[in-house]
Amino acid sequence: MADAPDTASMLGTVPFFSGLDGKKRKSLVSEGKEMAYKAGESIVREGAMGVGFYLILDGRAEVRKGGRLLATLEKGQFFGEMSLIDELPRSADVVAVSPTRCWALTSWAFAGLVKTNPDVALHMLKEMVKRVRAAQSSPTS
Ligand code: CMP
């Protein structure tokens, strides 16, 4: 597992946190936890209640709903925000498809992050809009 300074500099390279200065990133890192998953391991299960938000540090994960592939997420991309925002069960499964490391935040730390960092919240909204548009243009939707 990488130590906190490594994670802070890694988080600085992803667009999600690019609006934050180094000091803010460092304090954020200490609020989250690194989690490691093997290929094939489930990270989030459709229908379960959500307790965490995840940002991929390394590796790759698939978002699947009812067995259908919705998206493949990689380094710098996030998931798990939907349940934390609307407090409903997880909308899809998220499964590691290669050894995957995530930076994970609890729901209350996630709420603090988006409330106090408008740049982060805006980045997240843009990405969510992108996902809605991709779903709208998907032939199987
Ligand atoms: P949540 O519902 O908490 O848990 C499953 C996660 O999968 C969801 O949050 C999103 O982060 C992610 N997700 C759901 N649908 C899509 C999609 N169409 N494209 C990319 N990610 C998705």
Side-chain angles (χ1 to χ4, degrees):
M1 188 188 273
D3 57 17
D6 283 347
T7 309
S9 50
M10 158 61 204
L11 292 181
T13 67
V14 302
F16 192 85
F17 287 114
S18 58
L20 303 183
D21 62 29
K23 204 172 149 198
K24 239 179 183 172
R25 278 201 306 268
K26 263 193 191 141
S27 77
L28 254 179
V29 165
S30 60
E31 288 182 39
K33 190 175 163 191
E34 267 197 50
M35 309 281 286
Y37 301 92
K38 297 183 187 112
E41 200 174 340
S42 170
I43 307 175
V44 155
R45 283 187 201 278
E46 182 177 357
M49 287 313 291
V51 288
F53 166 83
Y54 302 82
L55 181 79
I56 300 179
L57 297 172
D58 261 319
R60 208 153 38 93
E62 285 184 355
V63 182
R64 302 174 190 160
K65 190 170 176 70
R68 188 164 65 94
L69 178 66
L70 295 182
T72 301
L73 305 176
E74 299 183 334
K75 175 181 166 176
Q77 293 188 290
F78 63 84
F79 58 91
E81 79 293 351
M82 289 174 59
S83 277
L84 301 193
I85 291 169
D86 65 9
E87 298 178 2
L88 289 173
R90 296 293 195 193
S91 61
D93 290 306
V94 183
V95 180
V97 288
S98 66
T100 298
R101 271 188 322 132
C102 292
W103 179 74
L105 267 187
T106 60
S107 52
W108 54 94
F110 171 79
L113 171 71
V114 294
K115 281 181 189 164
T116 55
N117 297 285
D119 286 347
V120 171
L122 189 59
H123 177 87
M124 189 177 306
L125 283 172
K126 283 185 176 164
E127 177 61 26
M128 290 172 78
V129 168
K130 204 166 144 188
R131 291 177 186 181
V132 171
R133 288 190 187 277
Q136 285 173 341
S137 63
S138 158
T140 52
S141 66

